[in-house]
Amino acid sequence: MDPITLSRWQFGLTTVYHFLFVPLTLGLSWFVAYFQTRYYQTQDESFHKMAKFWGKLFLINFAIGVVTGIVQEFQFGMNWSEYSRFVGDIFGAPLAIEALMAFFLESTFLGIWIFGEGKVPEKVHLAAIWLAAIGSNLSALWILLANGWMQHPVGFVINEVTGRAELVDFFALVMNPKGWLFFWHTIAAGLTTASFLILGVSAYHIIRKQNVDLFKHSFQAATIVGLIASTLVFFGGHTNGQYMFETQPMKFSAIEAHWETSQPADFSLLTIGDLSGKREVWSIRVPAVLSFLACNNFECEVRGVNDIQKEYEATYGPGDYVPLMVVTYWTFRFMMSVGFLMMLLSFLFLLALRGKYENAKWMKWVPWVIVLPYIANMSGWILTEMGRQPWIVQGLLKVQDAVSPNLTTVDLLISLIGYVVVYGALAGAMVYLMRKYAIAGPDAAMHESVDVAPARVGADD
Amino acid sequence: MSYEFLQILWFILIAVLWIGFHFLEGFDFGVGMLLPFLGKKDEERRAIINTVGSVWDGNEVWLLTAGGATFAAFPHWYATMFSGFYLALFLLLIGLILRGIAFEYRSKDSSPKWRNTFDWMIAIGSFLSALLLGAAFANLARGVPINQDMMFTGNLFTLLNPYGLLGGVTTVSIFLLHGANFLGLKLEGELRERVNGFAKKLWIAATVLYIILGVFTYIAGFWQHGIVNPGFVPFAAVVVLLATGYFINNKMEGWAFIMTALNIVLTQVTFFTMTFPNVMISSTNPAYSLTIYNASSSQYTLTVMSIVALIFVPIVLVYQGWTYYMFRKRISTDKKSLVY
């Protein structure tokens, strides 16, 4: 395999892996801050327990997000040096600001929150978790503004002499609608992820009659937040899709397996392609719905992949400008259906809250909902990033021209295998600990110097 | 502000970030490497970890900020260095991942085997990180093969030259000593005594290696790569290192820590002075070297980033400094007061 293919795989794997942990960090931090605040206000020990318990799960998850995040910052230069040269003027700025504004805040105050209880004034301890939550979410904003620029470059000129992109309008970069739409979508997805984790873990304890009052409170909070957040994810995604229709028409049509320009355009319920993933064999379609998705009316024209390909060839020269459609098409459908399912489930939970849901038979299935947001999160990012292929920066630079020219296949095999092994081991340790602490319940999280013996874990199984 | 002024300003700012990183993460690398050797019992190990528990992550952000600032201000420097040092940086990342995870996970299971494994991961991760950072900086001082297209033309073995390795080992020894001095400040009772014994031995090793590195740098003429003569700075670095020995022997831990901190700062100042205005020296042909002039971002980006830095760097310094003040107390191995 050549270095470009390996670099793509490495970036894809490490990024998706990193993003397995990020949404939970983003969302759960607010829940921990909420319970900590309620504890501060009421001095009610049950809120204290909730803050500590969800905080413990938050920290186990957070640690992996941090260490895999360092890889992210380094690998632009390591694997994509030509990209870094081309966009450093622009892309480097939000990255540096992210570190300066968000990472310092997050890491410093999380340290105070973990180690400061009883050592720093209670008010400071409370402020620390809020600042850590703000820091985490701010870092999402800056990295998404950076990514938004790759999808929809704004505020730049190409320097004729050096051939590099140069920043001319910082505020255009900061106000890029693409970045803000991603931010909205991602923050809401983070809250959804945290809500569904809380729903699942709470249900586990409620059906076993352990700390029922505590977990009912968590369950209720997560239901409400989950419903609001998953609805916001939907509207964010929809708005994002319409903006994509304007700015990245190829991605939009590739997601829908929409080959030929039509007015109005059909929505594909199911399309089967051939093995290349680039030709349609058979499909079922709903008339005019795609037009509605694209521009909120049933009549507008949606250009097909074939026309856009021709147009791009005329503009950018010969080449294949169609993303791998089997991936864009299916990841979108996974994301959408799971997203709707989460909205529906949180709505049903909301209805159930009025009754005696703690005794309901269906509660034993609720722990499985934890996996749902992960499917949606992963599909969403794979869709976003693979949908922009072959571009690394839409319309300006292709992935194949962005790779570090000095890297050999051996270099990449070493690093790729190394990451897979280390990341695999980390995931094993993380899942083990998450499960252990989730099952052990709040009392174990309260007494930290007393060890959580593995035997305790098995007892509840 | 003129373009050249901004380029020099950002060279200095990035130097400051690296200085901050080496000074801060230097001691927590040292603490990490000493952990399995210094701590015999579980409470002792936990106490040692807790000396840096609340701050190591914040210290590491200095590295991320240095990386991000280099990307923003000198994209060619970032691109050439990070792609050129590919496997070395990969190993550095693995080191940082191992120790970072181990700090958080080692106490989350009570099995002695689990804890011991993660303690060694902290030590090995810290060692690997310190060694590779030192080797990388030594190679930056020495010069690496770079062609006319700013492309690194060597491989991992190019970096494993005697000077690079000496730089790596010396950095490990200085960080060990710096970590021991920090622990001397933060621990109490028997552990404090024990770490003093470690510091005495480490001081001898670090001083010997440091002087060899200095002499090597002088004889090889690496200090003449830039346009500025580092002058008395490297000699001051040696003097404070010698003074460290005096303070360790007299159990004046605060002064000993300040001395190793100064040594690290002065070493970094020497490094950045003797390379200026180069940021990556080409051993292939000096004309191919990356400098602050040919590697930098546009004037506009540098201006924007200067404003951002002017606002946020002081804020960060205040709250990070304040954290150290909040957690200034010594840490005992008493189980009741120990945060796990």
Side-chain angles (χ1 to χ4, degrees):
Chain A
M1 274 199 273
D2 60 301
I4 296 177
T5 312
L6 289 168
S7 282
R8 282 175 186 262
W9 272 103
Q10 183 171 304
F11 196 87
L13 286 173
T14 52
T15 307
V16 168
Y17 187 87
H18 176 61
F19 200 71
L20 278 175
F21 308 99
V22 171
L24 187 61
T25 296
L26 295 176
L28 201 52
S29 60
W30 299 119
F31 278 97
V32 178
Y34 164 74
F35 286 118
Q36 186 82 45
T37 309
R38 298 289 288 140
Y39 171 57
Y40 177 79
Q41 289 168 335
T42 61
Q43 293 299 312
D44 179 345
E45 196 55 23
S46 63
F47 287 121
H48 191 203
K49 283 184 174 177
M50 284 293 93
K52 292 283 259 190
F53 175 70
W54 299 117
K56 191 64 106 186
L57 300 185
F58 169 79
L59 291 175
I60 294 168
N61 173 73
F62 178 79
I64 299 206
V66 168
V67 296
T68 55
I70 313 173
V71 176
Q72 295 306 103
E73 201 204 41
F74 276 35
Q75 65 180 342
F76 295 114
M78 289 170 70
N79 293 77
W80 309 99
S81 67
E82 298 318 290
Y83 165 78
S84 305
R85 290 182 207 284
F86 180 71
V87 301
D89 223 81
I90 302 153
F91 190 84
L95 242 60
I97 298 173
E98 183 188 19
L100 207 51
M101 213 167 150
F103 290 158
F104 272 120
L105 201 65
E106 180 185 36
S107 59
T108 307
F109 286 98
L110 202 59
I112 294 176
W113 186 71
I114 301 170
F115 287 88
E117 190 163 23
K119 295 196 171 75
V120 299
E122 210 180 337
K123 250 185 206 158
V124 174
H125 189 238
L126 175 65
I129 188 68
W130 280 102
L131 288 167
I134 291 169
S136 292
N137 284 268
L138 261 182
S139 87
L141 174 64
W142 286 104
I143 196 64
L144 290 170
L145 285 173
N147 185 274
W149 190 85
M150 294 166 81
Q151 311 273 351
H152 178 51
V154 288
F156 73 99
V157 290
I158 300 292
N159 183 321
E160 299 290 337
V161 183
T162 59
R164 297 171 58 236
E166 286 184 0
L167 188 62
V168 289
D169 185 354
F170 179 67
F171 290 97
L173 172 85
V174 173
M175 301 312 293
N176 188 352
K178 200 85 181 177
W180 283 94
L181 285 171
F182 281 160
F183 182 61
W184 166 7
H185 198 54
T186 306
I187 294 301
L191 281 165
T192 309
T193 308
S195 299
F196 275 72
L197 178 94
I198 293 177
L199 287 169
V201 174
S202 299
Y204 178 91
H205 289 282
I206 291 170
I207 49 182
R208 284 168 179 73
K209 312 278 180 234
Q210 299 157 353
N211 295 296
V212 173
D213 289 341
L214 291 189
F215 282 111
K216 277 180 76 176
H217 189 100
S218 292
F219 193 89
Q220 284 162 11
T223 300
I224 294 162
V225 175
L227 182 60
I228 297 170
S230 60
T231 311
L232 284 172
V233 172
F234 168 73
F235 283 110
H238 180 59
T239 317
N240 204 347
Q242 297 192 328
Y243 197 64
M244 188 205 305
F245 175 65
E246 288 170 33
T247 56
Q248 293 175 297
M250 178 62 100
K251 192 201 260 187
F252 184 88
S253 294
I255 284 172
E256 302 297 349
H258 183 65
W259 294 97
E260 300 302 335
T261 302
S262 54
Q263 184 180 11
D266 308 335
F267 177 76
S268 154
L269 272 185
L270 179 63
T271 296
I272 306 291
D274 70 358
L275 286 177
S276 73
K278 299 206 164 185
R279 287 282 167 274
E280 177 179 323
V281 176
W282 179 81
S283 69
I284 317 176
R285 288 167 183 272
V286 194
V289 169
L290 184 56
S291 290
F292 181 77
L293 287 180
C295 35
N296 283 348
N297 72 59
F298 288 99
E299 266 125 54
C300 72
E301 179 190 83
V302 179
R303 282 186 302 156
V305 167
N306 294 338
D307 276 356
I308 305 172
Q309 164 71 19
K310 272 184 215 135
E311 182 200 309
Y312 280 8
E313 278 188 19
T315 317
Y316 304 114
D320 184 357
Y321 296 93
V322 187
L324 198 53
M325 215 181 280
V326 65
V327 175
T328 53
Y329 182 86
W330 285 108
T331 50
F332 178 69
R333 271 144 191 83
F334 273 124
M335 178 181 77
M336 285 280 286
S337 37
V338 172
F340 278 125
L341 181 60
M342 289 193 288
M343 274 168 77
L344 178 69
L345 283 174
S346 18
F347 182 68
L348 293 176
F349 291 147
L350 188 70
L351 295 181
L353 285 185
R354 290 192 284 179
K356 284 207 171 295
Y357 67 97
E358 62 267 34
N359 300 323
K361 281 226 171 91
W362 50 263
M363 280 292 276
K364 70 174 179 208
W365 297 104
V366 176
W368 289 100
V369 303
I370 295 173
V371 298
L372 294 175
Y374 288 92
I375 298 173
N377 293 339
M378 277 209 282
S379 310
W381 266 112
I382 293 171
L383 164 66
T384 308
E385 299 297 275
M386 287 189 71
R388 113 180 106 70
Q389 304 298 325
W391 300 109
I392 192 163
V393 183
Q394 181 76 32
L396 296 180
L397 186 71
K398 289 183 189 164
V399 174
Q400 67 195 56
D401 302 321
V403 77
S404 302
N406 60 313
L407 297 185
T408 63
T409 302
V410 176
D411 288 336
L412 277 151
L413 281 175
I414 292 172
S415 61
L416 182 55
I417 293 168
Y419 283 128
V420 169
V421 170
V422 172
Y423 279 19
L426 292 187
M430 185 267 188
V431 169
Y432 166 73
L433 288 178
M434 279 295 251
R435 188 171 172 277
K436 186 173 99 163
Y437 277 92
I439 291 173
D443 297 318
M446 291 302 290
H447 305 289
E448 289 167 73
S449 55
V450 180
D451 307 319
V452 184
R456 250 187 112 126
V457 178
D460 295 335
D461 267 351
Chain B
M1 284 183 280
S2 82
Y3 197 13
E4 191 184 2
F5 173 82
L6 287 166
Q7 287 162 327
I8 295 172
L9 175 72
W10 273 91
F11 181 83
I12 294 170
L13 271 171
I14 288 170
V16 167
L17 290 169
W18 281 113
I19 291 170
F21 171 69
H22 279 85
F23 159 48
L24 293 168
E25 188 106 316
F27 65 74
D28 70 52
F29 280 149
V31 169
M33 286 187 272
L34 288 168
L35 174 69
F37 304 100
L38 190 62
K40 305 282 182 221
K41 286 179 291 190
D42 188 60
E43 308 86 272
E44 291 179 354
R45 287 196 177 175
R46 190 63 234 187
I48 293 166
I49 291 173
N50 283 9
T51 62
V52 293
S54 59
V55 293
W56 74 267
D57 193 8
N59 294 347
E60 206 155 296
V61 176
W62 285 79
L63 172 69
L64 289 173
T65 312
T70 310
F71 195 172
F74 300 103
H76 289 298
W77 181 7
Y78 172 77
T80 303
M81 181 162 77
F82 280 62
S83 62
F85 293 2
Y86 186 80
L87 284 179
L89 286 177
F90 163 70
L91 292 172
L92 170 68
L93 286 170
I94 295 296
L96 292 174
I97 289 171
L98 292 182
R99 71 191 285 275
I101 276 296
F103 274 131
E104 303 303 325
Y105 282 9
R106 67 85 66 190
S107 291
K108 295 209 161 37
D109 196 289
S110 55
S111 135
K113 205 172 148 196
W114 170 283
R115 290 193 172 174
N116 197 40
T117 308
F118 280 105
D119 288 344
W120 278 99
M121 269 166 64
I122 293 177
I124 293 167
S126 303
F127 169 76
L128 202 58
S129 308
L131 184 76
L132 289 160
L133 271 169
F137 271 80
N139 273 293
L140 287 174
R142 178 183 182 267
V144 289
I146 293 172
N147 70 13
Q148 67 274 29
D149 299 321
M150 297 185 171
M151 191 177 116
F152 178 82
T153 53
N155 55 41
L156 180 64
F157 299 101
T158 320
L159 305 179
L160 299 179
N161 54 71
Y163 186 71
L165 290 172
L166 180 63
V169 175
T170 308
T171 305
V172 168
S173 71
I174 294 285
F175 285 175
L176 275 166
L177 179 63
H178 192 40
N181 287 340
F182 180 75
L183 286 172
L185 260 181
K186 297 292 289 183
L187 294 171
E188 56 182 39
E190 196 197 325
L191 269 179
R192 186 176 168 188
E193 295 298 317
R194 209 183 296 158
V195 81
N196 186 258
F198 273 68
K200 283 178 188 160
K201 287 178 198 142
L202 287 168
W203 174 73
I204 297 170
T207 308
V208 170
L209 284 165
Y210 192 84
I211 290 173
I212 296 174
L213 181 72
V215 171
F216 197 149
T217 311
Y218 183 80
I219 293 174
F222 298 150
W223 59 284
Q224 291 167 315
H225 278 151
I227 55 170
V228 188
N229 188 328
F232 72 93
V233 181
F235 297 99
V238 174
V239 170
V240 293
L241 187 57
L242 292 173
T244 311
Y246 169 81
F247 292 119
I248 291 171
N249 278 310
N250 290 289
K251 293 209 173 144
M252 296 162 78
E253 289 126 336
W255 282 105
F257 177 71
I258 291 173
M259 290 300 129
T260 40
L262 272 176
N263 170 266
I264 289 171
V265 172
L266 293 170
T267 306
Q268 287 289 311
V269 172
T270 308
F271 168 81
F272 282 101
T273 341
M274 72 192 201
T275 49
F276 181 87
N278 300 298
V279 291
M280 283 201 83
I281 295 154
S282 170
S283 59
T284 314
N285 181 342
Y288 302 157
S289 293
L290 278 71
T291 67
I292 60 166
Y293 307 112
N294 67 16
S296 87
S297 283
S298 67
Q299 187 167 1
Y300 179 79
T301 298
L302 292 181
T303 309
V304 171
M305 290 308 296
S306 301
I307 296 166
V308 172
L310 206 67
I311 297 169
F312 285 100
V313 171
I315 297 176
V316 168
L317 286 176
V318 168
Y319 69 65
Q320 210 177 27
W322 174 79
T323 315
Y324 279 92
Y325 177 76
M326 293 290 261
F327 292 97
R328 66 191 175 283
K329 278 200 189 125
R330 285 185 185 270
I331 290 168
S332 87
T333 51
D334 174 21
K335 267 215 162 191
K336 269 180 234 125
S337 68
L338 214 49
V339 179
Y340 263 73

